[in-house]
């Protein structure tokens, strides 16, 4: 069965801390997406990965194809980073399978 | 660019009523999707389309219908609304399904009472 698991489910950290959110999947994939959902509900795509590493500002996403694992890192975290971060995977077809999300809260 | 536009943003329906959620994208994307998001759950695919005139069922299609008469529009119709359809609905689009960024609408909050 094609499954996506995220950890942790909830994460609270102090402003400035380095944040890591993990995503594991069950079988080979064609692409992995990291999404951000703010309170109020809108969903924004942060990264799309099929290999290696991508960086955008304070956000870094990595993927290890052999280990079927991806991480999203946030450096110098800020309260505005508080959101739900969602991992979604293409298991080689038109459809995305979503993790249940990681709720991140950054305390000033 | 407006991106993906969904309407309405909020709606309360009575059991048995029907309604249509509208979705329009102005990016000339081939692929369009409807998802629902229940509290504490991941997004579930209701229906998707790979181009005008082509639609297919996702994981949770029961109680819904779609059409794709143009590249831009992908409306979702709820027939005979039930409390189990209370959810947040997201429309999304992408140019292709492999290695392409996916763009989401703002969401539609639907309550069935």
């Amino acid at each position: 069965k094609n499954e996506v698991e995220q950890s942790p489910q909830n994460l609270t950290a102090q402003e400035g801390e380095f944040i890591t959110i993990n995503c594991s999947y069950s079988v080979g994939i064609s692409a992995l997406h990291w999404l951000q959902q703010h309170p109020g509900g809108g969903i924004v795509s942060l990264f799309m990965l099929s290999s290696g590493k991508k960086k955008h500002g304070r956000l870094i996403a990595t993927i290890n194809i052999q280990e079927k694992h991806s991480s999203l890192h946030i450096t110098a975290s800020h309260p505005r980073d508080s959101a739900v971060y969602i991992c979604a995977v293409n298991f080689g077809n038109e459809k995305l399978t979503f993790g249940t999300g990681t709720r991140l809260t950054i305390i000033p | 660019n407006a991106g993906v536009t969904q309407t309405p943003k909020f709606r309360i329906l009575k059991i048995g009523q029907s309604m249509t959620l509208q979705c329009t994208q102005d990016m000339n994307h081939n692929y369009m999707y409807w998802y629902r998001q229940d509290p504490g759950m991941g997004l579930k695919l209701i229906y998707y389309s790979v181009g005008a005139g082509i639609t297919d069922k996702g994981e949770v299609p029961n109680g819904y219908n779609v059409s794709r008469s143009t590249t831009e529009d992908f409306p979702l119709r709820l027939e005979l609304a039930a409390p189990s359809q209370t959810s947040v609905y997201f429309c999304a689009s992408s140019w292709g399904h492999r290695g392409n960024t996916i763009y989401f609408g703002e969401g539609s909050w639907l309550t069935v009472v």
Side-chain angles (χ1 to χ4, degrees):
Chain A
K1 186 179 176 183
N2 297 341
E3 291 182 332
V4 178
E5 291 190 2
Q6 283 187 241
S7 63
Q9 280 192 306
N10 294 284
L11 178 58
T12 300
Q14 294 288 330
E15 182 174 356
E17 286 189 37
F18 182 82
I19 303 300
T20 296
I21 299 170
N22 298 297
C23 177
S24 298
Y25 48 91
S26 53
V27 297
I29 64 171
S30 58
L32 182 143
H33 301 254
W34 281 104
L35 310 170
Q36 181 190 56
Q37 185 172 25
H38 273 285
I43 301 174
V44 175
S45 177
L46 298 175
F47 295 103
M48 191 285 302
L49 295 163
S50 54
S51 64
K53 176 180 175 178
K54 288 190 176 179
K55 184 175 189 290
H56 185 255
R58 295 180 294 105
L59 300 177
I60 303 165
T62 65
I63 189 167
N64 184 318
I65 298 297
Q66 287 72 33
E67 295 190 1
K68 299 184 179 63
H69 180 268
S70 175
S71 292
L72 176 68
H73 304 286
I74 305 175
T75 62
S77 59
H78 190 276
R80 65 174 174 266
D81 297 325
S82 298
V84 176
Y85 292 85
I86 302 169
C87 173
V89 169
N90 276 111
F91 287 110
N93 58 35
E94 301 89 352
K95 306 166 198 175
L96 282 174
T97 300
F98 293 81
T100 54
T102 295
R103 184 174 299 277
L104 174 66
T105 303
I106 304 297
I107 299 170
Chain B
N1 278 348
V4 179
T5 303
Q6 279 180 245
T7 57
K9 193 163 179 73
F10 300 97
R11 181 75 186 265
I12 298 174
L13 274 182
K14 293 185 178 178
I15 294 172
Q17 286 185 323
S18 299
M19 74 161 295
T20 299
L21 297 175
Q22 302 291 346
C23 177
T24 299
Q25 53 91 9
D26 62 0
M27 296 171 282
N28 202 33
H29 285 168
N30 292 321
Y31 288 73
M32 295 188 75
Y33 308 85
W34 273 107
Y35 297 97
R36 60 177 287 172
Q37 185 180 39
D38 299 325
M41 306 291 287
L43 284 88
K44 300 290 186 187
L45 182 65
I46 305 171
Y47 271 95
Y48 69 101
S49 169
V50 301
I54 306 169
T55 62
D56 207 348
K57 295 177 181 179
E59 302 169 79
V60 290
N62 291 343
Y64 307 95
N65 276 300
V66 293
S67 59
R68 184 95 181 269
S69 57
T70 66
T71 300
E72 295 77 20
D73 300 308
F74 190 42
L76 176 72
R77 180 141 181 95
L78 281 72
E79 303 282 4
L80 299 174
S84 61
Q85 293 178 302
T86 294
S87 191
V88 184
Y89 292 83
F90 288 95
C91 180
S93 73
S94 66
W95 193 85
H97 69 278
R98 296 192 184 192
N100 289 276
T101 299
I102 185 164
Y103 296 84
F104 287 83
E106 291 289 303
S108 297
W109 274 254
L110 176 67
T111 302
V112 182
V113 297

